[in-house]
Amino acid sequence: MSPGYSLSQLVQYMTKLGAIGFGGPVALVGYMHRDLVQDRSWISEADYKEGLTLAQLMPGPLAAQLAIYVGYVHYGITGATLAGVAFVLPSFVMVVALGAAYVAYGGLTWMQAVFYGVGAAVIGIIAISAYKLTAKSIGKDKLLWAIYLATAAVTIITESEIVWIFLISGLLVWLVRAPPTRWFPKSGGAALVGFGVPGDHLSTACALGATADWSVLAQIGVFFAEAGAFVFGSGLAIVPFLYGGVVNEHHWLTERQFVDAVAVAMITPGPVVITVGFIGYLVAGFSGALVAALATFLPCYLFTIIPAPYFRKHGKKPAIVAFVDGCTAAAIGTITGAVVVLGKRSITDLPTIAIMAVTLLLLWRVKKFPEPAIVALAALAGLVVYPLLKT
């Protein structure tokens, strides 16, 4: 049966989401569920869950991988490629433009003020997204609720995403709902072994590359390929890895410049990981931005399209459905925990509490209220309030 949408429609949607989708990975995966599953019925609930599970299990940025998988569902590798590029390109253009302005004017002092307001609004946006995902996917299943609450608590306590929790959650639901009749199937495990071997070689290659005396662009390529290939979790999980390499190891940026780079990623739409484009621009101009972005997103693209056929082929089997349900519950629990973790950093005083509360009220009471309008109003509020607090 042919899909109820064209490839060009999907590319247009991903371009729009990449251009106006604020809130980071938590909000972006929520937008895709709302728009593509609930409102337009382009993607089934099962396909969405498979994509979310794959994005959580594989290293790389969560929202970008889900966008790539969504493109793959009905249009294969061509759809995956075009959807991924369309999703990332708008925010890449924005951060390169901001990078040029940053270099030209010696910093962007207004950025902290904008982030002060936008950061508070973003917490409200992702809280609503997390609530809707929870209500839709967890339902009344007690086992899924237990996994959801446990993973939310772990995320809040550790302030990180642990890939083994997704695997354990999937295995637990699988064993409870569809226990295997035999433990050692004759043809099992080949696909996983196939994925493990390239990963091992890639790690060795990156380690060798890091010690070679290459040009700056080559060093940027190797470092950001490592970031894309070996960092699990959402785009936010890559920030500590980037800090260690960009500031401490290579000394490409100062601490202040790195903080500004993260702020740029948070106040621009699209994936948070696009901060690599800003960092690359500060290090080596447009070429540095392009190399950093390609090196970061290529591994996550490959880690999505290579296992995708197996997910599509075997995803309807009871054991796989149970595994995916467990992983999905863990993923949504992690997303909910991330709301609290991020909230502790962004909600720091009465004005930020007020901005978050207004955001929640608007999204809860006013149907179809556009998130970009909320972000714009929050940015204006930050520009007005933040300087007053600093005087």
Side-chain angles (χ1 to χ4, degrees), residues 240-326:
F241 181 91
L242 293 179
Y243 177 83
V246 170
V247 178
N248 293 335
E249 182 182 348
H250 292 289
H251 306 291
W252 285 330
L253 303 184
T254 65
E255 286 199 13
R256 172 66 191 181
Q257 289 173 320
F258 184 81
V259 170
D260 287 347
V262 175
V264 164
M266 294 299 291
I267 65 173
T268 50
V272 173
V273 173
I274 204 60
T275 188
V276 301
F278 185 86
I279 294 171
Y281 190 93
L282 296 191
V283 178
F286 180 76
S287 297
L290 188 61
V291 169
L294 287 174
T296 302
F297 285 99
L298 182 58
C300 85
Y301 169 77
L302 295 175
F303 281 133
T304 304
I305 64 167
I306 292 174
Y310 299 95
F311 266 66
R312 299 290 300 152
K313 183 178 180 180
H314 303 291
K316 304 302 183 288
K317 293 182 178 179
I320 302 299
V321 170
F323 180 81
V324 168
D325 283 347

Side-chain angles (χ1 to χ4, degrees), residues 13-380:
Y13 170 80
M14 288 300 176
T15 303
K16 180 180 178 181
L17 183 63
I20 64 172
F22 288 90
V26 179
L28 291 169
V29 299
Y31 297 152
M32 287 186 222
H33 184 270
R34 178 196 66 191
D35 299 336
L36 302 181
V37 179
Q38 294 180 322
D39 295 348
R40 307 184 191 188
S41 299
W42 287 1
I43 304 296
S44 70
E45 185 75 34
D47 286 332
Y48 177 87
K49 284 184 177 181
E50 288 172 11
L52 184 61
T53 297
L54 181 61
Q56 289 283 5
L57 292 176
M58 294 294 167
L62 175 69
Q65 286 172 297
L66 182 57
I68 292 167
Y69 188 86
V70 165
Y72 185 90
V73 168
H74 290 127
Y75 290 100
I77 292 178
T78 300
T81 305
L82 293 178
V85 171
F87 179 65
V88 172
L89 189 58
S91 54
F92 174 76
V93 172
M94 292 181 200
V95 298
V96 168
L98 286 172
Y102 189 94
V103 171
Y105 298 106
L108 300 173
T109 54
W110 52 267
M111 199 178 296
Q112 281 187 314
V114 171
F115 184 58
Y116 175 81
V118 171
V122 160
I123 299 305
I125 291 172
I126 64 177
I128 290 292
S129 296
Y131 168 78
K132 290 180 178 179
L133 280 173
T134 301
K136 181 68 177 178
S137 300
I138 305 302
K140 298 181 179 180
D141 191 299
K142 293 181 180 179
L143 177 59
L144 295 185
W145 268 106
I147 291 171
Y148 167 84
L149 293 173
T151 51
V154 169
T155 302
I156 293 169
I157 293 169
T158 65
E159 298 191 355
S160 63
E161 298 176 7
I162 304 171
V163 68
W164 294 111
I165 290 181
F166 304 120
L167 292 171
I168 292 170
S169 300
L171 289 172
L172 178 61
V173 178
W174 169 47
L175 292 175
V176 171
R177 290 186 182 175
T181 55
R182 55 182 183 179
W183 288 95
F184 300 102
K186 295 179 181 178
S187 58
L192 292 177
V193 173
F195 293 133
V197 173
D200 293 340
H201 289 310
L202 184 57
S203 177
T204 304
C206 287
L208 291 174
T211 61
D213 186 20
W214 290 0
S215 68
V216 172
L217 283 180
Q219 290 178 22
I220 290 173
V222 170
F223 172 74
F224 285 102
E226 289 179 346
F230 301 111
V231 177
F232 285 88
S234 70
L236 298 169
I238 204 173
V239 172
F241 181 91
L242 293 179
Y243 177 83
V246 170
V247 178
N248 293 335
E249 182 182 348
H250 292 289
H251 306 291
W252 285 330
L253 303 184
T254 65
E255 286 199 13
R256 172 66 191 181
Q257 289 173 320
F258 184 81
V259 170
D260 287 347
V262 175
V264 164
M266 294 299 291
I267 65 173
T268 50
V272 173
V273 173
I274 204 60
T275 188
V276 301
F278 185 86
I279 294 171
Y281 190 93
L282 296 191
V283 178
F286 180 76
S287 297
L290 188 61
V291 169
L294 287 174
T296 302
F297 285 99
L298 182 58
C300 85
Y301 169 77
L302 295 175
F303 281 133
T304 304
I305 64 167
I306 292 174
Y310 299 95
F311 266 66
R312 299 290 300 152
K313 183 178 180 180
H314 303 291
K316 304 302 183 288
K317 293 182 178 179
I320 302 299
V321 170
F323 180 81
V324 168
D325 283 347
C327 291
T328 302
I332 297 172
T334 300
I335 287 170
T336 303
V339 176
V340 177
V341 173
L342 296 174
K344 290 191 294 184
R345 297 187 176 96
S346 298
I347 310 302
T348 55
D349 49 27
L350 287 177
T352 50
I353 292 174
I355 292 171
M356 181 188 70
V358 170
T359 300
L360 287 170
L361 184 63
L362 286 173
L363 292 176
W364 185 261
R365 302 292 297 178
V366 182
K367 299 297 183 183
K368 303 293 184 180
F369 197 97
E371 287 89 359
I374 292 176
V375 171
L377 292 172
L380 290 174

